[in-house]
Amino acid sequence: LKERKGYGLWITFLHELKLERVSAGARYAISVECKSESSIFESKWPPPLLYTTTSLTASPSPIVKIRRFYGSMDGQQEHHPDVHSSEKTALILLLVSADPLKPFSVDIPSYPLLQPPKVEEDSDSELEPADPDFYRIGYARSMRAYGIEFKEGPDGFGVYAAKDVEPLRRARVVMEIPIELMLNISKKLPWMFFPDIIPLGHPIFDIINSTDPETDWDLRLACLLLFAFDCEDNFWQLYGDFLPSADECPSLLLATEEDLLELQDENLASTVRKQQLRALEFWEKNWHSGAPLKIKRLARDPEKFIWAVSMAQSRCINMQIRVGALTQDTNMLIPYADMLNHSFEPNCFFHWRFKDRMLEVMINAGQQIRKGEEMTVNYMNGQKNDMFMQRYGFSSPVNPWDVIQFSGNARIHLDSFLSVFNISGLPEEYCHNSLLSKEGDPFVDGAVIAAARTLPTWSDGDLPPVPSIERKAVKELQEECQKMLAQFPTTSKKDLKILDSMPEATRTLEAAIKYRLHRKLLIEKVVQALGMYQERILF
């Protein structure tokens, strides 16, 4: 088969057909059919249909001569390839058995580009390859992924390396998402949408326009997401099937009052209650009984709207993009890129390629990634665990930016503490120098970096610390940490037992218990770090 492209028309030349893997002596019928792939074309005019049938008896290597066929707009045969048409036309070759006693079958391999990469996994792995449809709906719309695969596990989707990535001096692209698949809205007035899917005069724009420009970015994005679900043939109608449902989403906007009490953090619980009330009041204001039907059907109940707000908060990417000569700060919902999970030591980052109006996910320059490792980005830099819980519904025991509030007067020598744990850099860029540490020493992690930032310290030029005074300060700080732990109703060990005993707990309840557990683990890590500092302090 050879293909040649005329003026917008795909023409297939079928000179001869050589049959293989056939049963000797069996008879077959060959049919050639030409029809349009355009639904609009088929609905207005009957598609051109050219049909011929010939029969043969199979031999070791039969060859069938078939004359050329061309498709044209009026359905007539055309013997010149340059057919003027804007419709796509395809030739379909059907090989059917003419002998029911000896059927003919050939296993046709599926198109590899639309199939998830095959990766050898351990049998006990909880990760499963994503549904092939997850790839198809994106590839059909010019989304591209290189050397990665999407997997789904108990905690949702993730992106993993499908092959080893050796370090290079330049960043490399692993994912490309065109702007046509995104939902973007500018951060400031006048509201601009990329792409602009809202028709002129639609009441959803009035709802978006009524929001506070400074604080209600998530409400605007939620309205845009719900509208995209309602638009006919919109990509998000398909992609929405792969978003987490209300039961699968850990966002605290969907948490019950009992879940909020499990946080053991009244400040965070109070903030979440205010956000829940804000979203509910917004829905009641705009989805009232007198609202138009085209608005009512977007979110018939407040639960759906609050779910949309949670999707907007947890999957929004804030970027400055350039479209033509216009540069805008935007809130963006970017499919496929929103499946990248968070890490405080990410191996990927986002880049806007303005010439093609496309977002690129790129691997850091010099980054080495092994097959099966997860590809990650940093959601927010310099934020504490309560902010991650408030927006994303998760926390981390190794957040290097988490803070412990000390109220005493005890202070330790900063430079001595940093040297004991081989921490280098300025306070905003603290990092562990692993080359100076013993091999296989995993103690220093993000929690120790957080301790270096949050512990009360002093530093006075070249003045060295006095060991006896340092030990006294360490003891006072450890005692204060123990008092903090005693204020919690449960211990970290008890929290672990609770999590193990509740395998069917809701995602919000599980996230709440993990949040308080991570808080206690951080304090315990600080106590351990102070003990090691006291032992290793230089005389």
Side-chain angles (χ1 to χ4, degrees):
L1 294 177
K2 298 180 180 179
E3 290 184 348
R4 175 176 177 181
K5 189 174 182 181
Y7 291 88
L9 176 66
W10 285 95
I11 303 170
T12 303
F13 297 80
L14 187 58
H15 296 282
E16 63 182 25
L17 174 68
K18 183 176 181 180
L19 302 180
E20 298 179 355
R21 298 172 61 185
V22 298
S23 301
R27 293 184 301 110
Y28 299 93
I30 297 178
S31 300
V32 179
E33 182 180 10
C34 178
K35 67 178 182 179
S36 170
E37 293 180 344
S38 171
S39 58
I40 299 178
F41 179 75
E42 291 180 357
S43 63
K44 292 185 178 180
W45 300 280
L49 183 64
L50 305 178
Y51 182 84
T52 184
T53 302
T54 182
S55 61
L56 70 151
T57 300
S59 61
S61 58
I63 295 180
V64 185
K65 297 289 185 180
I66 302 178
R67 64 186 179 86
R68 299 180 182 181
F69 286 93
Y70 303 97
S72 62
M73 289 285 290
D74 56 3
Q76 302 298 322
Q77 296 184 17
E78 178 65 42
H79 295 283
H80 193 280
D82 295 334
V83 181
H84 295 265
S85 170
S86 61
E87 297 295 333
K88 285 188 176 181
T89 308
L91 283 177
I92 301 175
L93 176 66
L94 303 176
L95 181 62
V96 296
S97 174
D99 188 351
L101 298 179
K102 295 182 180 181
F104 173 74
S105 63
V106 176
D107 294 332
I108 302 176
S110 56
Y111 190 43
L113 189 63
L114 302 181
Q115 301 300 320
K118 296 182 179 179
V119 178
E120 297 180 1
E121 300 182 21
D122 298 334
S123 58
D124 58 348
S125 175
E126 295 182 339
L127 298 174
E128 297 180 356
D131 191 311
D133 288 340
F134 183 73
Y135 293 85
R136 288 192 182 100
I137 61 175
Y139 273 86
R141 295 165 175 82
S142 300
M143 176 270 176
R144 293 294 179 263
Y146 310 103
I148 62 173
E149 60 179 344
F150 296 87
K151 293 184 180 181
E152 189 174 8
D155 296 328
F157 275 88
V159 184
Y160 297 84
K163 60 181 180 180
D164 292 341
V165 178
E166 298 301 327
L168 292 180
R169 296 177 61 184
R170 298 178 60 184
R172 70 185 74 186
V173 178
V174 295
M175 205 184 305
E176 295 175 336
I177 304 102
I179 194 173
E180 287 75 17
L181 300 188
M182 307 177 193
L183 294 177
N184 302 339
I185 182 172
S186 58
K187 289 185 178 181
K188 299 180 180 180
L189 289 168
W191 308 125
M192 303 188 69
F193 310 94
F194 310 97
D196 191 358
I197 62 173
I198 299 181
L200 189 65
H202 197 283
I204 194 65
F205 180 79
D206 297 330
I207 296 177
I208 293 176
N209 199 37
S210 67
T211 59
D212 188 327
E214 300 296 330
T215 60
D216 292 344
W217 62 269
D218 52 345
L219 301 180
R220 292 190 290 272
L221 209 53
C223 292
L224 194 60
L225 177 62
L226 292 172
F227 180 76
F229 288 153
D230 191 61
C231 288
E232 186 177 359
D233 297 330
N234 190 281
F235 167 77
W236 283 86
Q237 288 184 325
L238 302 174
Y239 190 76
D241 294 339
F242 300 96
L243 295 177
S245 63
D247 295 334
E248 299 169 335
C249 183
S251 173
L252 293 184
L253 281 176
L254 305 171
T256 62
E257 182 62 28
E258 291 75 13
D259 297 340
L260 296 181
L261 293 177
E262 295 294 336
L263 290 170
Q264 297 180 1
D265 186 339
E266 186 55 36
N267 292 332
L268 177 58
S270 176
T271 302
V272 173
R273 292 189 191 99
K274 292 178 181 178
Q275 287 196 357
Q276 290 176 334
L277 181 61
R278 164 175 161 265
L280 180 60
E281 291 178 346
F282 185 83
W283 179 85
E284 292 175 345
K285 174 184 176 183
N286 296 285
W287 272 264
H288 49 79
S289 58
L293 179 60
K294 60 177 66 176
I295 293 296
K296 281 185 177 180
R297 68 189 183 200
L298 300 183
R300 296 186 179 275
D301 52 72
E303 288 76 15
K304 184 174 182 180
F305 180 76
I306 295 176
W307 171 84
V309 176
S310 70
M311 289 295 101
Q313 289 187 357
S314 60
R315 294 177 175 269
C316 174
I317 298 174
N318 302 319
M319 286 189 67
Q320 185 179 83
I321 66 172
R322 176 180 169 187
V323 181
L326 182 65
T327 301
Q328 285 280 349
D329 292 321
T330 58
N331 301 119
M332 314 170 71
L333 288 178
I334 306 177
Y336 297 98
D338 62 357
M339 297 299 179
L340 288 159
N341 289 320
H342 166 79
S343 173
F344 294 106
E345 296 180 354
N347 49 29
C348 296
F349 65 96
F350 297 129
H351 173 257
W352 180 256
R353 195 167 77 202
F354 71 91
K355 289 184 178 180
D356 301 314
R357 303 198 311 172
M358 183 176 292
L359 180 90
E360 295 176 324
V361 179
M362 308 188 75
I363 298 178
N364 296 332
Q367 184 80 47
Q368 184 178 26
I369 302 176
R370 293 304 177 191
K371 180 180 178 180
E373 289 186 16
E374 187 171 11
M375 320 294 282
T376 57
V377 293
N378 193 341
Y379 288 179
M380 293 191 299
N381 191 35
Q383 297 294 336
K384 300 185 295 181
N385 270 344
D386 57 351
M387 287 300 299
F388 280 95
M389 280 296 295
Q390 181 179 326
R391 179 165 173 180
Y392 299 103
F394 70 85
S395 58
S396 171
V398 293
N399 184 350
W401 298 98
D402 217 0
V403 174
I404 300 176
Q405 298 294 339
F406 290 91
S407 58
N409 297 322
R411 296 185 300 166
I412 60 174
H413 190 252
L414 175 61
D415 296 333
S416 298
F417 186 86
L418 297 179
S419 64
V420 164
F421 296 105
N422 299 313
I423 298 175
S424 307
L426 298 174
E428 298 298 320
E429 301 173 353
Y430 277 160
C431 63
H432 178 226
N433 192 340
S434 58
L435 298 177
L436 300 177
S437 303
K438 296 180 180 179
E439 294 185 4
D441 183 9
F443 180 78
V444 179
D445 54 14
V448 179
I449 302 294
R453 290 193 174 104
T454 194
L455 281 171
T457 58
W458 66 275
S459 181
D460 189 7
D462 297 331
L463 184 65
V466 179
S468 59
I469 298 178
E470 285 294 296
R471 288 195 180 93
K472 181 180 178 181
V474 166
K475 186 176 180 180
E476 292 180 8
L477 292 174
Q478 286 179 323
E479 290 176 353
E480 189 170 355
C481 288
Q482 295 295 345
K483 291 179 181 178
M484 295 179 189
L485 292 173
Q487 292 176 355
F488 288 101
T490 58
T491 63
S492 59
K493 293 182 179 180
K494 188 174 181 180
D495 289 340
L496 287 172
K497 291 181 180 179
I498 293 175
L499 288 173
D500 293 338
S501 63
M502 300 173 60
E504 302 299 328
T506 62
R507 297 300 303 274
T508 51
L509 176 59
E510 181 183 357
I513 297 176
K514 285 184 177 180
Y515 170 75
R516 76 191 194 201
L517 170 63
H518 295 162
R519 184 69 175 171
K520 297 164 191 173
L521 292 178
L522 172 63
I523 299 175
E524 292 173 357
K525 189 81 171 186
V526 172
V527 173
Q528 295 177 17
L530 287 171
M532 295 180 63
Y533 169 66
Q534 182 178 234
E535 294 174 359
R536 300 179 185 179
I537 188 172
L538 301 178
F539 288 89

